[in-house]
Amino acid sequence: MIKTSVEPWIEAPLRAFVADAGVLLALLLHPSGQVLAQHGFFRAVDVMSACALAAAIHASSAELGRQLEGKPFSGLHAGNARQIYLAEAETARGPYIFLTVFDQASSLGLVRMYFEEFRATLAAAAPPPVAPQEPVLNANFEGELNRNLAELFGRA
Amino acid sequence: MGNGGRHGPSGFPFPISDFPFPLGMSLVNYQTREITCKIVYYGPGRSGKTTNLHFIYGQVPEDRKGKMVSLATQTDRTLFFDFLPLDLGMISGFTTRFQLYTVPGQVYYQATRKLVLQGADGVVFVADSQARQLQENIESFQDLHQNLAEQGVDARGIPLVIQYNKQDLPRELILTTAELSDAVNFRGVPDFPADALHGPGVFETLRGISELVLKRLSAGAAR
């Protein structure tokens, strides 16, 4: 069950992939390392770490592929008891990175097969980028920021 | 990573997700009212970027931070990046999180710096206050501007603060903040003297860049 509140267009393809492929964890992220959607994680900070590493693996393996074969590698698989599969999904909003973790309940073949389906449904569902219209934060956010930072650093 | 059975610091069992409006590149999720910002610590080799993150990591309580990830060489020089996720708590009704990254400072890691810089919402330039490092500071600052320009980012528009680190060293070895400011801070951005090893200035620097990054969100500016 996916308990994230994601944009509706991401949620359905991700839910289908997780159910069909039987994976433990799934992450969709921007190449800069920002998370777009997740399944299976409990802590936001853990998701951010996984995204940072996934973006790094993707960037470095893509560059290695470009140097070796003249084009980026299209997918990366590693692991034994718990395995990872990392690949790219292109949408109207640009390329996204997809990372999934699975165990013996699934297989690389299944994951690859359903990833292709996921990639297609994601691309079909993606709306064009929308520019923000309104300011997000209040103009006087500094008080809260300073209070929170002071608390974070034990200075409150 | 994974099913640790613990809830997120905001109280949500699953607070993460996403996105949709790349504001700068800050990810703003209006549905779950979450903001995630990427801050990159940039600067020449051995200026103290990783030390800043280590100090922050040591200060912040467990439930407000993730694991610090360091992709380093055997001699602890940063090879790819360091990464520290922080939960800043609620600001204007949004759960606000920062992702702190460092880049490797050595000249030959240019490609890596570009990758880490991608999508940054704000940059902390960590300068080494030692007089003999002045040229390295200047070259690294130029390198930052060049890498931003290559990514289509106007360096004059991105939130930036400068930290003059190692101000604890003997006076005869270092430049004053005024001298460093003259040499590096030609844009007149907020700058902070610091001793990242022991802490002074680290908090102030983080607060400075946080304010600038969040100001963009309060102004509704988009990249």
Side-chain angles (χ1 to χ4, degrees), chain B residues 159-195:
Chain B
L160 169 72
V161 301
I162 300 176
Q163 180 188 82
Y164 307 123
N165 191 25
K166 306 188 186 180
Q167 284 286 314
D168 56 310
L169 291 178
R171 287 290 123 196
E172 63 272 20
L173 296 180
I174 61 172
L175 300 174
T176 65
T177 54
E179 290 168 328
L180 285 160
S181 181
D182 277 347
V184 181
N185 193 5
F186 52 85
R187 278 176 48 196
V189 300
D191 51 5
F192 306 90
D195 164 14

mmCIF file of all heavy atoms in Angstrom, chain B residues 159-195:
data_model
loop_
_atom_site.group_PDB
_atom_site.id
_atom_site.type_symbol
_atom_site.label_atom_id
_atom_site.label_comp_id
_atom_site.label_asym_id
_atom_site.label_seq_id
_atom_site.Cartn_x
_atom_site.Cartn_y
_atom_site.Cartn_z
ATOM 1 N N PRO B 159 20.498 32.188 -4.479
ATOM 2 C CA PRO B 159 20.890 32.510 -3.107
ATOM 3 C C PRO B 159 22.306 32.015 -2.804
ATOM 4 O O PRO B 159 22.629 30.858 -3.063
ATOM 5 C CB PRO B 159 19.851 31.762 -2.266
ATOM 6 C CG PRO B 159 18.649 31.675 -3.147
ATOM 7 C CD PRO B 159 19.212 31.493 -4.537
ATOM 8 N N LEU B 160 23.139 32.938 -2.296
ATOM 9 C CA LEU B 160 24.545 32.619 -2.051
ATOM 10 C C LEU B 160 25.015 33.343 -0.797
ATOM 11 O O LEU B 160 24.726 34.530 -0.621
ATOM 12 C CB LEU B 160 25.383 33.069 -3.256
ATOM 13 C CG LEU B 160 26.909 33.058 -3.100
ATOM 14 C CD1 LEU B 160 27.440 31.619 -3.072
ATOM 15 C CD2 LEU B 160 27.578 33.822 -4.253
ATOM 16 N N VAL B 161 25.723 32.630 0.056
ATOM 17 C CA VAL B 161 26.421 33.272 1.174
ATOM 18 C C VAL B 161 27.866 32.776 1.154
ATOM 19 O O VAL B 161 28.168 31.729 0.578
ATOM 20 C CB VAL B 161 25.771 32.978 2.554
ATOM 21 C CG1 VAL B 161 24.322 33.440 2.586
ATOM 22 C CG2 VAL B 161 25.887 31.509 2.918
ATOM 23 N N ILE B 162 28.735 33.543 1.777
ATOM 24 C CA ILE B 162 30.152 33.166 1.827
ATOM 25 C C ILE B 162 30.561 33.002 3.287
ATOM 26 O O ILE B 162 30.180 33.816 4.148
ATOM 27 C CB ILE B 162 31.033 34.227 1.150
ATOM 28 C CG1 ILE B 162 30.637 34.378 -0.320
ATOM 29 C CG2 ILE B 162 32.512 33.847 1.260
ATOM 30 C CD1 ILE B 162 31.385 35.476 -1.067
ATOM 31 N N GLN B 163 31.305 31.958 3.543
ATOM 32 C CA GLN B 163 31.847 31.734 4.882
ATOM 33 C C GLN B 163 33.372 31.804 4.820
ATOM 34 O O GLN B 163 33.990 31.136 3.988
ATOM 35 C CB GLN B 163 31.427 30.346 5.397
ATOM 36 C CG GLN B 163 31.941 30.019 6.783
ATOM 37 C CD GLN B 163 31.659 28.569 7.180
ATOM 38 O OE1 GLN B 163 32.393 27.655 6.814
ATOM 39 N NE2 GLN B 163 30.568 28.367 7.901
ATOM 40 N N TYR B 164 33.968 32.614 5.699
ATOM 41 C CA TYR B 164 35.428 32.683 5.780
ATOM 42 C C TYR B 164 35.854 31.772 6.912
ATOM 43 O O TYR B 164 35.854 32.150 8.091
ATOM 44 C CB TYR B 164 35.888 34.119 6.019
ATOM 45 C CG TYR B 164 35.323 35.090 5.008
ATOM 46 C CD1 TYR B 164 34.577 36.188 5.409
ATOM 47 C CD2 TYR B 164 35.528 34.891 3.644
ATOM 48 C CE1 TYR B 164 34.044 37.070 4.483
ATOM 49 C CE2 TYR B 164 34.990 35.764 2.712
ATOM 50 C CZ TYR B 164 34.252 36.852 3.134
ATOM 51 O OH TYR B 164 33.716 37.712 2.205
ATOM 52 N N ASN B 165 36.224 30.559 6.550
ATOM 53 C CA ASN B 165 36.492 29.531 7.569
ATOM 54 C C ASN B 165 37.943 29.607 8.058
ATOM 55 O O ASN B 165 38.790 30.230 7.428
ATOM 56 C CB ASN B 165 36.175 28.153 6.977
ATOM 57 C CG ASN B 165 36.159 27.072 8.029
ATOM 58 O OD1 ASN B 165 35.922 27.344 9.219
ATOM 59 N ND2 ASN B 165 36.413 25.850 7.620
ATOM 60 N N LYS B 166 38.190 28.971 9.153
ATOM 61 C CA LYS B 166 39.523 28.855 9.781
ATOM 62 C C LYS B 166 39.981 30.179 10.381
ATOM 63 O O LYS B 166 41.182 30.455 10.445
ATOM 64 C CB LYS B 166 40.562 28.317 8.790
ATOM 65 C CG LYS B 166 40.164 27.001 8.134
ATOM 66 C CD LYS B 166 41.281 26.402 7.321
ATOM 67 C CE LYS B 166 40.806 25.165 6.565
ATOM 68 N NZ LYS B 166 41.848 24.537 5.763
ATOM 69 N N GLN B 167 39.026 30.981 10.816
ATOM 70 C CA GLN B 167 39.388 32.251 11.444
ATOM 71 C C GLN B 167 40.005 32.050 12.828
ATOM 72 O O GLN B 167 40.433 33.006 13.469
ATOM 73 C CB GLN B 167 38.154 33.159 11.533
ATOM 74 C CG GLN B 167 37.759 33.798 10.212
ATOM 75 C CD GLN B 167 38.697 34.932 9.785
ATOM 76 O OE1 GLN B 167 39.050 35.792 10.573
ATOM 77 N NE2 GLN B 167 39.116 34.891 8.523
ATOM 78 N N ASP B 168 40.044 30.812 13.283
ATOM 79 C CA ASP B 168 40.666 30.495 14.573
ATOM 80 C C ASP B 168 42.183 30.336 14.452
ATOM 81 O O ASP B 168 42.880 30.282 15.461
ATOM 82 C CB ASP B 168 40.088 29.193 15.130
ATOM 83 C CG ASP B 168 40.240 28.026 14.145
ATOM 84 O OD1 ASP B 168 39.869 28.215 12.961
ATOM 85 O OD2 ASP B 168 40.731 26.954 14.549
ATOM 86 N N LEU B 169 42.691 30.256 13.235
ATOM 87 C CA LEU B 169 44.141 30.055 13.058
ATOM 88 C C LEU B 169 44.892 31.328 13.475
ATOM 89 O O LEU B 169 44.312 32.413 13.536
ATOM 90 C CB LEU B 169 44.445 29.715 11.596
ATOM 91 C CG LEU B 169 43.948 28.345 11.110
ATOM 92 C CD1 LEU B 169 44.275 28.141 9.638
ATOM 93 C CD2 LEU B 169 44.515 27.209 11.952
ATOM 94 N N PRO B 170 46.194 31.198 13.756
ATOM 95 C CA PRO B 170 46.965 32.374 14.165
ATOM 96 C C PRO B 170 46.851 33.513 13.158
ATOM 97 O O PRO B 170 46.826 33.296 11.944
ATOM 98 C CB PRO B 170 48.402 31.828 14.226
ATOM 99 C CG PRO B 170 48.243 30.373 14.479
ATOM 100 C CD PRO B 170 46.993 29.969 13.793
ATOM 101 N N ARG B 171 46.777 34.723 13.686
ATOM 102 C CA ARG B 171 46.552 35.919 12.868
ATOM 103 C C ARG B 171 47.540 36.049 11.723
ATOM 104 O O ARG B 171 47.187 36.521 10.634
ATOM 105 C CB ARG B 171 46.647 37.179 13.736
ATOM 106 C CG ARG B 171 45.497 37.407 14.665
ATOM 107 C CD ARG B 171 44.233 37.780 13.907
ATOM 108 N NE ARG B 171 43.148 36.837 14.236
ATOM 109 C CZ ARG B 171 42.033 36.697 13.542
ATOM 110 N NH1 ARG B 171 41.838 37.397 12.457
ATOM 111 N NH2 ARG B 171 41.120 35.858 13.895
ATOM 112 N N GLU B 172 48.780 35.638 11.974
ATOM 113 C CA GLU B 172 49.802 35.831 10.932
ATOM 114 C C GLU B 172 49.586 34.908 9.727
ATOM 115 O O GLU B 172 50.180 35.124 8.665
ATOM 116 C CB GLU B 172 51.212 35.643 11.514
ATOM 117 C CG GLU B 172 51.532 34.257 12.049
ATOM 118 C CD GLU B 172 51.145 34.085 13.521
ATOM 119 O OE1 GLU B 172 50.303 34.866 14.008
ATOM 120 O OE2 GLU B 172 51.673 33.167 14.168
ATOM 121 N N LEU B 173 48.760 33.879 9.908
ATOM 122 C CA LEU B 173 48.538 32.932 8.807
ATOM 123 C C LEU B 173 47.308 33.258 7.961
ATOM 124 O O LEU B 173 47.167 32.762 6.846
ATOM 125 C CB LEU B 173 48.361 31.508 9.367
ATOM 126 C CG LEU B 173 49.553 30.885 10.077
ATOM 127 C CD1 LEU B 173 49.192 29.486 10.563
ATOM 128 C CD2 LEU B 173 50.767 30.825 9.152
ATOM 129 N N ILE B 174 46.426 34.047 8.517
ATOM 130 C CA ILE B 174 45.136 34.233 7.832
ATOM 131 C C ILE B 174 44.911 35.686 7.410
ATOM 132 O O ILE B 174 45.565 36.601 7.896
ATOM 133 C CB ILE B 174 43.955 33.790 8.726
ATOM 134 C CG1 ILE B 174 43.903 34.635 10.009
ATOM 135 C CG2 ILE B 174 44.037 32.306 9.042
ATOM 136 C CD1 ILE B 174 42.665 34.381 10.848
ATOM 137 N N LEU B 175 43.964 35.841 6.505
ATOM 138 C CA LEU B 175 43.504 37.169 6.118
ATOM 139 C C LEU B 175 42.303 37.542 6.982
ATOM 140 O O LEU B 175 41.577 36.665 7.456
ATOM 141 C CB LEU B 175 43.109 37.185 4.642
ATOM 142 C CG LEU B 175 44.229 36.834 3.645
ATOM 143 C CD1 LEU B 175 43.660 36.745 2.228
ATOM 144 C CD2 LEU B 175 45.349 37.866 3.698
ATOM 145 N N THR B 176 42.111 38.824 7.159
ATOM 146 C CA THR B 176 40.937 39.265 7.910
ATOM 147 C C THR B 176 39.695 39.101 7.039
ATOM 148 O O THR B 176 39.796 38.955 5.809
ATOM 149 C CB THR B 176 41.065 40.742 8.309
ATOM 150 O OG1 THR B 176 41.062 41.533 7.103
ATOM 151 C CG2 THR B 176 42.350 40.999 9.089
ATOM 152 N N THR B 177 38.548 39.172 7.681
ATOM 153 C CA THR B 177 37.310 39.041 6.900
ATOM 154 C C THR B 177 37.177 40.195 5.910
ATOM 155 O O THR B 177 36.648 40.017 4.811
ATOM 156 C CB THR B 177 36.079 38.996 7.828
ATOM 157 O OG1 THR B 177 36.105 40.124 8.687
ATOM 158 C CG2 THR B 177 36.056 37.736 8.652
ATOM 159 N N ALA B 178 37.682 41.374 6.293
ATOM 160 C CA ALA B 178 37.618 42.523 5.378
ATOM 161 C C ALA B 178 38.488 42.267 4.144
ATOM 162 O O ALA B 178 38.077 42.547 3.004
ATOM 163 C CB ALA B 178 38.071 43.787 6.091
ATOM 164 N N GLU B 179 39.675 41.720 4.378
ATOM 165 C CA GLU B 179 40.568 41.423 3.243
ATOM 166 C C GLU B 179 39.956 40.347 2.338
ATOM 167 O O GLU B 179 40.004 40.438 1.105
ATOM 168 C CB GLU B 179 41.931 40.966 3.753
ATOM 169 C CG GLU B 179 42.741 42.085 4.401
ATOM 170 C CD GLU B 179 43.955 41.559 5.154
ATOM 171 O OE1 GLU B 179 43.907 40.440 5.710
ATOM 172 O OE2 GLU B 179 44.964 42.290 5.193
ATOM 173 N N LEU B 180 39.391 39.325 2.974
ATOM 174 C CA LEU B 180 38.776 38.244 2.186
ATOM 175 C C LEU B 180 37.557 38.754 1.422
ATOM 176 O O LEU B 180 37.331 38.381 0.267
ATOM 177 C CB LEU B 180 38.375 37.090 3.113
ATOM 178 C CG LEU B 180 39.543 36.240 3.605
ATOM 179 C CD1 LEU B 180 39.167 35.474 4.859
ATOM 180 C CD2 LEU B 180 39.987 35.273 2.513
ATOM 181 N N SER B 181 36.804 39.605 2.086
ATOM 182 C CA SER B 181 35.614 40.156 1.448
ATOM 183 C C SER B 181 36.001 40.966 0.209
ATOM 184 O O SER B 181 35.356 40.874 -0.841
ATOM 185 C CB SER B 181 34.856 41.029 2.452
ATOM 186 O OG SER B 181 33.698 41.544 1.865
ATOM 187 N N ASP B 182 37.067 41.751 0.332
ATOM 188 C CA ASP B 182 37.550 42.531 -0.809
ATOM 189 C C ASP B 182 37.927 41.631 -1.983
ATOM 190 O O ASP B 182 37.685 41.952 -3.146
ATOM 191 C CB ASP B 182 38.790 43.341 -0.409
ATOM 192 C CG ASP B 182 38.393 44.634 0.289
ATOM 193 O OD1 ASP B 182 37.206 44.994 0.220
ATOM 194 O OD2 ASP B 182 39.272 45.260 0.914
ATOM 195 N N ALA B 183 38.531 40.489 -1.649
ATOM 196 C CA ALA B 183 39.061 39.620 -2.706
ATOM 197 C C ALA B 183 37.987 38.739 -3.341
ATOM 198 O O ALA B 183 38.043 38.464 -4.535
ATOM 199 C CB ALA B 183 40.166 38.731 -2.124
ATOM 200 N N VAL B 184 37.024 38.298 -2.535
ATOM 201 C CA VAL B 184 36.080 37.285 -3.024
ATOM 202 C C VAL B 184 34.656 37.804 -3.167
ATOM 203 O O VAL B 184 33.969 37.485 -4.138
ATOM 204 C CB VAL B 184 36.078 36.053 -2.069
ATOM 205 C CG1 VAL B 184 35.112 34.991 -2.579
ATOM 206 C CG2 VAL B 184 37.472 35.477 -1.926
ATOM 207 N N ASN B 185 34.237 38.614 -2.217
ATOM 208 C CA ASN B 185 32.819 38.949 -2.153
ATOM 209 C C ASN B 185 32.487 40.199 -2.960
ATOM 210 O O ASN B 185 31.971 41.182 -2.432
ATOM 211 C CB ASN B 185 32.391 39.123 -0.695
ATOM 212 C CG ASN B 185 30.876 39.154 -0.542
ATOM 213 O OD1 ASN B 185 30.142 38.945 -1.515
ATOM 214 N ND2 ASN B 185 30.416 39.419 0.673
ATOM 215 N N PHE B 186 32.752 40.145 -4.241
ATOM 216 C CA PHE B 186 32.491 41.329 -5.074
ATOM 217 C C PHE B 186 31.009 41.551 -5.306
ATOM 218 O O PHE B 186 30.596 42.614 -5.744
ATOM 219 C CB PHE B 186 33.231 41.224 -6.408
ATOM 220 C CG PHE B 186 32.979 39.940 -7.146
ATOM 221 C CD1 PHE B 186 31.876 39.800 -7.964
ATOM 222 C CD2 PHE B 186 33.876 38.886 -7.022
ATOM 223 C CE1 PHE B 186 31.659 38.617 -8.644
ATOM 224 C CE2 PHE B 186 33.648 37.690 -7.706
ATOM 225 C CZ PHE B 186 32.541 37.553 -8.510
ATOM 226 N N ARG B 187 30.201 40.537 -5.000
ATOM 227 C CA ARG B 187 28.756 40.705 -5.155
ATOM 228 C C ARG B 187 28.101 41.251 -3.898
ATOM 229 O O ARG B 187 26.915 41.558 -3.891
ATOM 230 C CB ARG B 187 28.107 39.368 -5.518
ATOM 231 C CG ARG B 187 28.206 39.044 -6.990
ATOM 232 C CD ARG B 187 27.649 37.673 -7.282
ATOM 233 N NE ARG B 187 26.348 37.467 -6.654
ATOM 234 C CZ ARG B 187 25.778 36.288 -6.491
ATOM 235 N NH1 ARG B 187 26.412 35.208 -6.907
ATOM 236 N NH2 ARG B 187 24.599 36.171 -5.918
ATOM 237 N N GLY B 188 28.853 41.328 -2.834
ATOM 238 C CA GLY B 188 28.299 41.856 -1.591
ATOM 239 C C GLY B 188 27.218 40.986 -0.975
ATOM 240 O O GLY B 188 26.253 41.480 -0.399
ATOM 241 N N VAL B 189 27.385 39.667 -1.084
ATOM 242 C CA VAL B 189 26.406 38.754 -0.480
ATOM 243 C C VAL B 189 26.680 38.636 1.021
ATOM 244 O O VAL B 189 27.776 39.013 1.483
ATOM 245 C CB VAL B 189 26.467 37.353 -1.152
ATOM 246 C CG1 VAL B 189 26.172 37.470 -2.638
ATOM 247 C CG2 VAL B 189 27.820 36.685 -0.909
ATOM 248 N N PRO B 190 25.742 38.124 1.791
ATOM 249 C CA PRO B 190 26.010 37.947 3.226
ATOM 250 C C PRO B 190 27.240 37.060 3.446
ATOM 251 O O PRO B 190 27.396 36.033 2.786
ATOM 252 C CB PRO B 190 24.744 37.243 3.733
ATOM 253 C CG PRO B 190 23.684 37.602 2.750
ATOM 254 C CD PRO B 190 24.378 37.731 1.430
ATOM 255 N N ASP B 191 28.119 37.482 4.338
ATOM 256 C CA ASP B 191 29.315 36.674 4.607
ATOM 257 C C ASP B 191 29.539 36.529 6.107
ATOM 258 O O ASP B 191 29.111 37.378 6.890
ATOM 259 C CB ASP B 191 30.556 37.221 3.890
ATOM 260 C CG ASP B 191 30.774 38.698 4.121
ATOM 261 O OD1 ASP B 191 30.025 39.307 4.910
ATOM 262 O OD2 ASP B 191 31.699 39.270 3.501
ATOM 263 N N PHE B 192 30.197 35.446 6.474
ATOM 264 C CA PHE B 192 30.299 35.081 7.879
ATOM 265 C C PHE B 192 31.695 34.542 8.192
ATOM 266 O O PHE B 192 32.168 33.621 7.519
ATOM 267 C CB PHE B 192 29.280 33.979 8.218
ATOM 268 C CG PHE B 192 27.875 34.323 7.841
ATOM 269 C CD1 PHE B 192 27.373 33.995 6.584
ATOM 270 C CD2 PHE B 192 27.049 34.995 8.727
ATOM 271 C CE1 PHE B 192 26.077 34.316 6.224
ATOM 272 C CE2 PHE B 192 25.738 35.319 8.378
ATOM 273 C CZ PHE B 192 25.255 34.980 7.120
ATOM 274 N N PRO B 193 32.369 35.074 9.218
ATOM 275 C CA PRO B 193 33.598 34.438 9.683
ATOM 276 C C PRO B 193 33.235 33.156 10.417
ATOM 277 O O PRO B 193 32.154 33.069 11.016
ATOM 278 C CB PRO B 193 34.184 35.478 10.651
ATOM 279 C CG PRO B 193 33.005 36.250 11.132
ATOM 280 C CD PRO B 193 31.995 36.246 10.016
ATOM 281 N N ALA B 194 34.109 32.161 10.361
ATOM 282 C CA ALA B 194 33.751 30.893 11.009
ATOM 283 C C ALA B 194 34.977 30.104 11.439
ATOM 284 O O ALA B 194 36.092 30.320 10.939
ATOM 285 C CB ALA B 194 32.904 30.040 10.063
ATOM 286 N N ASP B 195 34.725 29.222 12.372
ATOM 287 C CA ASP B 195 35.685 28.201 12.793
ATOM 288 C C ASP B 195 34.888 26.903 12.812
ATOM 289 O O ASP B 195 34.366 26.500 13.856
ATOM 290 C CB ASP B 195 36.238 28.580 14.171
ATOM 291 C CG ASP B 195 36.939 27.418 14.862
ATOM 292 O OD1 ASP B 195 37.231 26.406 14.189
ATOM 293 O OD2 ASP B 195 37.175 27.520 16.077
#
